[in-house]
Amino acid sequence: GEGKTKGAVIDILFGMFTYFKTNAVFDFTSNIISNVSALKDGRQYMLENKILQYILDLLLKVKLNSHRRRYLIEAIRNLLFEYEH
């Protein structure tokens, strides 16, 4: 999106991911977060809006299942090293 709607979808997905942190139905959102972080525009948005810090906080402070941990770690790799699929 552009203007006020820029990043709205990723913000909503990340919000659902963190709110429903123990609900397996929302595990798929970690895959989407990882995929978005592999795109240049997605990385830029996530870094500008401090989503990396939120990801780190989740990994360090919340007990997550292995699926969520795996894809959040991939997102960190993508954000720090500009990795693209």
Side-chain angles (χ1 to χ4, degrees):
E2 298 294 323
K4 292 180 181 180
T5 61
K6 184 176 182 179
V9 173
I10 190 67
D11 287 341
I12 291 167
L13 284 172
F14 197 75
M16 289 180 355
F17 178 80
T18 56
Y19 184 78
F20 297 105
K21 54 187 157 251
T22 59
N23 189 333
V25 173
F26 291 93
D27 285 355
F28 76 95
T29 55
S30 60
N31 300 57
I32 296 170
I33 292 167
S34 176
N35 289 339
V36 169
S37 69
L39 303 171
K40 184 177 181 179
D41 290 338
R43 273 194 309 275
Q44 183 178 356
Y45 178 82
M46 293 173 82
L47 290 170
E48 288 172 358
N49 291 281
K50 301 183 181 357
I51 293 178
L52 174 60
Q53 184 60 48
Y54 293 124
I55 292 172
L56 291 171
D57 287 345
L58 280 172
L59 286 170
L60 295 173
K61 298 176 182 176
V62 178
K63 184 175 180 183
L64 301 172
N65 65 34
S66 62
H67 178 90
R68 288 182 180 223
R69 291 185 71 76
R70 174 183 173 198
Y71 288 99
L72 288 181
I73 290 168
E74 282 188 14
I76 291 171
R77 176 200 61 196
N78 296 343
L79 292 167
L80 295 178
F81 300 105
E82 296 187 7
Y83 179 82
E84 295 192 28
H85 296 279

